[in-house]
Amino acid sequence: MDLVIRDARVVDGSGAPSYRADVGVTDGRITEIRREGDGPRPTGARTLDADGLALSPGFTDMHAHSDLALLRDPDHSAKAAQGVTLEVLGQDGLSYAPADDRTLSEVRRAIAGWNGDGSGVDFDWRTVGGYLDRLDRNFGGQGIAVNAAYLVPQGTVRMLAVGWEDRPATESELVRMKDLVAQGMTEGAVGMSSGLTYTPGMYASGSELTELCRVVARYDGYYCPHHRSYGAGALAAYEEMVRLTRDAGCALHLAHATMNFGVNEGRAPDLLALLDDALAAGADISLDTYPYTPGCTTLVAMLPSWAGAGGPESVLTRLADETDAERIRHHLESVGSDGCHGVPIDWDTIEISGVGAPELAGYVGRTVAESARTRGEAPWVTARRLLTEDRLGTTILQHVGHEENVRRIMRHRVHTGGSDGILQGDKPHPRAYGTFPHYLGRYVRELGVLSLEECVAHLTSRPAARLRLPDRGLVREGHRADLVLFDPDTVAAGSTFDEPRTLPVGIPHVLIDGRFVIEDGRRTSVLAGRAVRGAGRPVRP
């Protein structure tokens, strides 16, 4: 064998009790698992002593924003060092394929706060298949740091077919959107995402989304919505997603499934009861969360939907107009804009985490309210200045979550882990660098919210099942050797809100296809990641 990992505590991803074993790897696959005392021990060209370490399948980040980071950064330790061996990209309805020249320019502007403006990246693709091919041949054909799957972004699809107008799609536009989704699924996407508090995806009606989900269902994919509200209308928004996917016969995966803002404190049981009823009735549902209370997005995402009609330049034009700007302020502060989930904005909860313009760096790490008090002005004046001078590129942390809701949801039997990690900004959310060790360290070892075996199943086999990947997510003979070795007694997130880019501790080894991407706690030069494609063909009429 190429490698034998000796005396590991195998946490195999199934949720079953762990056991002690030697695990052999050959040609990127697990070829032998020999339990302690069960016959002769396997031998190999290399032996790794894993005594004291847990061996598990590689972790899957079900909600990642590394769409450009994987193309720019061969190291990508933000995820590799956590034990992440697969990321799901194309999230929240906005990404870079499918596109034409116009929409590519627009989407780069729209999500610069998530991924940067793309400078230094050669955007030599326009289709989903082209993007996936680019991942495979990146860095001179070596590939990428970790594996990646892709969701067709519904907002970008609408941008292509309809534009940025707040109106129903025409029949011909709906046909084109369905064709674009079908093409993306044929080319290897695993499903479709939406960002229903982001323009222009939020302009889609439920019936429009249902028609697109029917296309996804034909390819055995899943729908991954950032739904219409995580605040005042959260439960109704969840109900809409459950209903329309049931109507479409499509699997549903709820993105960063939280219940936020004061109106939802203690209401996680309401969400879980809704999901349990749907599951009992035969629905195919899963969800992901990150183990933190604050959220992270862009400042422009807080604005009401009407302010985003026409695209980024139209937003800036409205901000420059005193009448429009006052109307935006009124919706934000008094009405509760749909961009802020129907809740009047509390500027004390909006912390600036990153800016595109270097001269604005002094705002980073402070709330909008704090900066406004320092300047002796109203918070909206400060926010408006940031939006305008940063050309909509400002990222924020939004401190609106509830710890008890987070804990209740992560216990659910269809829960998986997703970082929602935005890697941009001077002070990004620590979830980008810490989600998976934070689950293992704080919520398993320190708090006992989940057992080790349960937690690993949430991070490995459940995502693999959702992604329809039969040879990943378990330590099984014949499965791919995407593996993590960690110390259950010390594993922890190094990242904090003050030092968000600190790498985790207690994860000495990470392998992808049997190759070490992390060895003895250090990133190697190995680029073993590749695009992980969906079925690519209809499985239903």
Side-chain angles (χ1 to χ4, degrees):
M1 297 181 199
D2 298 332
L3 171 69
V4 174
I5 302 170
R6 288 209 186 281
D7 295 319
R9 176 186 174 184
V10 177
V11 187
D12 69 4
S14 70
S18 59
Y19 58 89
R20 195 173 179 89
D22 296 344
V23 176
V25 174
T26 305
D27 294 331
R29 299 264 176 185
I30 299 169
T31 48
E32 186 170 352
I33 301 173
R34 188 65 58 85
R35 297 197 182 213
E36 185 177 40
D38 189 18
R41 307 184 80 172
T43 59
R46 177 178 176 183
T47 300
L48 176 66
D49 182 4
D51 188 29
L53 299 177
L55 173 68
S56 81
F59 306 138
T60 295
D61 189 341
M62 287 295 288
H63 194 102
H65 289 285
S66 303
D67 306 46
L68 298 186
L70 281 167
L71 298 176
R72 287 190 303 248
D73 179 15
D75 183 86
H76 201 50
S77 285
K79 296 300 178 67
Q82 293 187 61
V84 171
T85 57
L86 172 60
E87 298 185 88
V88 184
L89 313 177
Q91 298 287 351
D92 294 327
L94 291 167
S95 191
Y96 308 95
D100 57 19
D101 291 348
R102 172 185 63 84
T103 57
L104 184 59
S105 174
E106 291 170 347
V107 79
R108 286 175 65 178
R109 286 284 307 279
I111 55 175
W114 295 353
N115 300 319
D117 63 7
S119 57
V121 174
D122 180 8
F123 288 86
D124 59 353
W125 68 86
R126 293 296 181 271
T127 65
V128 170
Y131 176 73
L132 296 175
D133 289 344
R134 174 60 185 282
L135 294 175
D136 284 340
R137 60 180 171 80
N138 206 53
F139 299 117
Q142 296 181 77
I144 49 178
V146 303
N147 295 311
Y150 190 77
L151 298 165
V152 179
Q154 170 260 330
T156 306
V157 166
R158 201 174 209 272
M159 208 183 299
L160 270 167
V162 182
W164 292 82
E165 291 79 17
D166 182 0
R167 62 170 175 81
T170 66
E171 184 175 345
S172 63
E173 288 167 343
L174 181 57
V175 168
R176 187 180 180 208
M177 285 191 283
K178 291 167 70 174
D179 288 345
L180 287 166
V181 172
Q183 179 182 345
M185 297 298 295
T186 299
E187 292 171 350
V190 295
M192 180 181 74
S193 74
S194 285
L196 300 178
T197 65
Y198 301 132
T199 56
M202 69 193 306
Y203 301 143
S205 66
S207 60
E208 179 180 313
L209 295 171
T210 301
E211 289 301 306
L212 299 182
C213 284
R214 288 195 172 104
V215 176
V216 174
R218 286 206 301 271
Y219 291 82
D220 204 22
Y222 68 94
Y223 180 43
C224 180
H226 165 130
H227 51 271
R228 299 189 193 275
S229 176
Y230 291 82
L235 204 61
Y238 282 116
E239 288 171 346
E240 181 194 16
M241 297 299 101
V242 171
R243 182 174 62 253
L244 73 84
T245 50
R246 290 297 304 275
D247 289 345
C250 186
L252 172 64
H253 179 85
L254 296 165
H256 38 61
T258 58
M259 296 286 283
N260 288 339
F261 301 90
V263 294
N264 287 317
E265 185 171 4
R267 294 196 67 197
D270 297 339
L271 167 61
L272 300 181
L274 167 68
L275 299 183
D276 285 338
D277 288 347
L279 289 163
D284 183 358
I285 300 176
S286 55
L287 59 86
D288 66 66
T289 70
Y290 47 83
Y292 300 88
T293 52
C296 180
T297 186
T298 56
L299 183 57
V300 68
M302 299 291 101
L303 304 189
S305 57
W306 59 263
E313 286 302 324
S314 296
V315 176
L316 290 167
T317 298
R318 292 186 181 100
L319 288 168
D321 182 89
E322 293 299 330
T323 300
D324 283 343
E326 172 57 22
R327 185 181 171 206
I328 292 170
R329 183 207 63 77
H330 176 70
H331 274 257
L332 279 169
E333 296 183 348
S334 301
V335 176
S337 79
D338 45 7
C340 194
H341 308 276
V343 178
I345 199 163
D346 178 356
W347 295 110
D348 279 303
T349 69
I350 307 297
E351 178 185 351
I352 305 304
S353 60
V355 292
E359 62 270 20
L360 301 174
Y363 290 94
V364 174
R366 309 176 73 191
T367 68
V368 171
E370 286 172 339
S371 290
R373 285 192 288 268
T374 299
R375 299 179 65 90
E377 61 191 18
W380 167 241
V381 175
T382 301
R384 182 184 178 191
R385 178 185 299 107
L386 272 167
L387 287 162
T388 301
E389 295 182 7
D390 208 22
R391 306 287 293 176
L392 313 182
T394 305
T395 53
I396 62 170
L397 303 182
Q398 194 170 17
H399 296 270
V400 292
H402 305 286
E403 178 67 18
E404 183 55 32
N405 284 350
V406 170
R407 295 189 193 187
R408 281 182 174 269
I409 293 169
M410 74 169 63
R411 293 188 188 107
H412 197 270
R413 65 187 186 279
V414 300
H415 170 266
T416 68
S419 72
D420 196 12
I422 294 174
L423 301 169
Q424 288 295 120
D426 302 296
K427 196 179 179 186
H429 196 302
R431 67 193 186 191
Y433 285 72
T435 286
F436 296 87
H438 199 51
Y439 268 119
L440 296 169
R442 178 153 180 77
Y443 288 92
V444 172
R445 185 180 64 248
E446 295 178 7
L447 299 177
V449 174
L450 295 168
S451 72
L452 180 61
E453 289 84 356
E454 287 175 319
C455 186
V456 168
H458 289 215
L459 308 181
T460 59
S461 63
R462 290 186 188 174
R466 166 53 67 224
L467 295 167
R468 313 292 196 237
L469 301 175
D471 61 350
R472 299 177 193 263
L474 293 167
V475 180
R476 291 282 191 275
E477 292 180 359
H479 277 52
R480 289 183 179 273
D482 295 352
L483 301 167
V484 182
L485 286 138
F486 62 92
D487 185 343
D489 295 329
T490 64
V491 62
S495 59
T496 65
F497 286 98
D498 290 331
E499 299 291 339
R501 286 194 169 90
T502 306
L503 296 179
V505 297
I507 305 179
H509 304 290
V510 181
L511 296 88
I512 296 178
D513 271 356
R515 303 168 65 193
F516 284 89
V517 296
I518 300 291
E519 187 171 10
D520 295 324
R522 295 184 295 273
R523 179 72 171 93
T524 71
S525 61
V526 168
L527 292 170
R530 296 293 183 271
V532 174
R533 291 168 167 82
R537 62 186 183 279
V539 297
R540 305 183 197 175

